[in-house]
Amino acid sequence: MGWSTSQLADLAGTTLRTIRHYHDVGLLAEPERRANGYKSYGVPHLVRVLRIKRLTDLGLSLAQIADLGDSDEHPREALRELDAELEAQIERLQRVRAELALVLRQETPTDLPPDVAVMIEDADLSPQDRSFTVVLAQLLSPETLVRYAETLKDYSRDPAVIEFDHLPEDADEQTRQRLAERMRAMPYMAEMRAAFPDPTGLWSDAPRGVEHARRTVVKVMVELYNKAQLDVLVRMNA
């Protein structure tokens, strides 16, 4: 006499729901039924369920197991693919752990790569400038981002910067021009011009392309700064 569904599930160390799901997705053939209409499972069914359970424990999905068919042969290629995926996941997790260790050790903010956060931790950035830097960290290549962060090492809130941060949107043209000239003369701007003689060079090697970086930067600046501040930035870089 064969086993009932509950007995099969118990023998295989799984659940009734799982057995029924295997039937629903076509992984387990329907058994013969007894005279009373109840299912009667045999050894092949138990072996099949144990094999499915073993392969899922190893990490194969039910779809991958279905692709293997009913063959009991060693699924070499599927396991090799799984091993490659696990290797990539382990490498990613190791990188994350290394970054977490650095963040915890140096107590750096989490919105920037740790090496960049360390460089600018003493820079007295305004909330708007910091938000802009966080977005740049997403847009720029790692090499360019490090160069940009290096220019911020000795950044300090010059009186001109403080005035810029509080510049009202209706500031007159004379005020804007005078502020642009003062900001252009700041030591920080000299360092920035030396690092990036062409302002567009900041995103010339952007991973997702120059145009994507340019559009994103424009959108971010329009949202972070008012019209008078944007005008000052244009004049400053003219």
Side-chain angles (χ1 to χ4, degrees):
M1 181 178 291
W3 297 296
S4 66
T5 307
S6 60
Q7 289 172 327
L8 178 70
D10 182 61
L11 284 168
T14 187
T15 65
L16 278 170
R17 183 175 181 179
T18 298
I19 298 296
R20 288 167 182 156
H21 183 61
Y22 290 167
H23 283 310
D24 291 340
V25 298
L27 282 177
L28 184 63
E30 290 286 344
E32 294 182 356
R33 292 184 178 269
R34 303 169 186 166
N36 59 9
Y38 288 105
K39 294 176 180 177
S40 178
Y41 293 92
V43 172
H45 296 98
L46 176 59
V47 170
R48 177 64 174 163
V49 172
L50 289 172
R51 184 168 189 266
I52 295 170
K53 187 170 182 291
R54 174 60 175 157
L55 291 175
T56 55
D57 287 345
L58 286 173
L60 290 182
S61 68
L62 294 183
Q64 289 173 309
I65 296 172
D67 290 339
L68 298 176
D70 295 328
S71 173
D72 288 331
E73 294 181 4
H74 191 279
R76 187 179 305 278
E77 289 306 313
L79 293 177
R80 281 178 175 169
E81 290 178 9
L82 176 61
D83 185 58
E85 292 174 5
L86 291 174
E87 182 180 15
Q89 290 179 24
I90 290 171
E91 289 178 358
R92 183 186 66 80
L93 291 173
Q94 287 175 333
R95 288 195 301 271
V96 171
R97 287 204 69 201
E99 186 168 326
L100 281 174
L102 188 58
V103 169
L104 290 170
R105 184 169 63 251
Q106 299 177 339
E107 297 186 355
T108 56
T110 57
D111 53 3
L112 287 167
D115 52 345
V116 173
V118 169
M119 288 184 187
I120 69 170
E121 62 180 343
D122 294 328
D124 188 15
L125 298 177
S126 69
Q128 292 92 337
D129 290 341
R130 181 171 184 80
S131 294
F132 183 69
T133 302
V134 170
V135 175
L136 280 184
Q138 182 68 21
L139 296 174
L140 305 184
S141 70
E143 297 78 14
T144 300
L145 179 59
V146 168
R147 286 169 56 206
Y148 175 78
E150 285 176 345
T151 67
L152 296 176
K153 277 184 177 179
D154 301 321
Y155 177 89
S156 61
R157 285 170 64 75
D158 186 280
V161 173
I162 296 175
E163 182 180 343
F164 174 83
D165 290 341
H166 296 89
L167 187 69
E169 189 164 8
D170 60 354
D172 60 49
E173 184 171 346
Q174 183 178 4
T175 298
R176 299 182 191 187
Q177 182 61 32
R178 185 174 61 250
L179 181 56
E181 291 171 358
R182 289 172 58 202
M183 291 180 68
R184 188 186 300 124
M186 294 187 306
Y188 159 71
M189 288 306 302
E191 293 181 19
M192 181 64 76
R193 285 192 293 270
F196 301 98
D198 178 2
T200 61
L202 192 61
W203 49 76
S204 60
D205 59 349
R208 296 186 61 181
V210 172
E211 187 57 24
H212 173 266
R214 186 193 68 78
R215 287 199 310 268
T216 305
V217 166
V218 170
K219 178 176 175 57
V220 169
M221 292 183 70
V222 167
E223 185 169 332
L224 289 177
Y225 306 107
N226 66 39
K227 291 181 179 179
Q229 291 171 319
L230 291 172
D231 184 46
V232 168
L233 293 175
V234 171
R235 293 168 185 257
M236 184 180 68
N237 290 297

